[in-house]
Amino acid sequence: MVPVRTCIGSRRRAPRSSLLRVVALSDGRVVADPKAVMPGRGAWLTPTVEAHDQAVKRRAFRRALRLDHEPDTSAVRDYLEALQRSAGSTEQARHQDTTEQAERLMDN
């Protein structure tokens, strides 16, 4: 059985391996945890700038990470922008296919 998590931005369920874990640091910043090994409470995000923007708009980082105030998520956005520049459009299309496949499997 493949571990499934929910993106805090898009609210879509996807395999853990296709999502990015984010963690809040003690100084109020939220950073990307691509290896999913950093200590502390984490949240899962589809690795796209659009999902990040949705999460910020919904104030999902604060809720998911159980913070007292809105965190600084600029480090996560910078990471996602760099990831999208390096991956290109081919990787993004393949990720969407993986997410859709996972949803179909979950519905069965």
Side-chain angles (χ1 to χ4, degrees), residues 1-4 106:
M1 169 128 313
V2 177
V4 176
M106 297 293 293

Side-chain angles (χ1 to χ4, degrees), residues 9-81:
S10 65
R11 303 296 298 158
R12 297 179 84 185
R13 292 167 50 115
R16 177 183 164 183
S17 60
S18 69
L19 297 175
L20 173 68
R21 184 173 186 257
V22 294
V23 178
L25 301 178
S26 59
D27 63 0
R29 291 181 302 134
V30 175
V31 295
D33 180 15
K35 294 182 180 180
V37 296
M38 292 179 72
R41 184 166 182 83
W44 298 90
L45 184 69
T46 303
T48 63
V49 173
E50 293 80 17
H52 172 271
D53 292 343
Q54 286 177 324
V56 169
K57 183 178 177 181
R58 296 178 57 244
R59 298 181 180 176
F61 286 103
R62 180 180 176 184
R63 270 194 314 278
L65 298 170
R66 298 183 182 167
L67 302 172
D68 295 334
H69 59 281
E70 284 301 315
D72 175 16
T73 62
S74 60
V76 175
R77 185 175 176 88
D78 294 343
Y79 176 85
L80 293 172
E81 287 173 349

Side-chain angles (χ1 to χ4, degrees), residues 82-92:
L83 188 67
Q84 283 185 342
R85 278 193 303 271
S86 68
S89 62
T90 307
E91 180 66 23
Q92 193 172 14

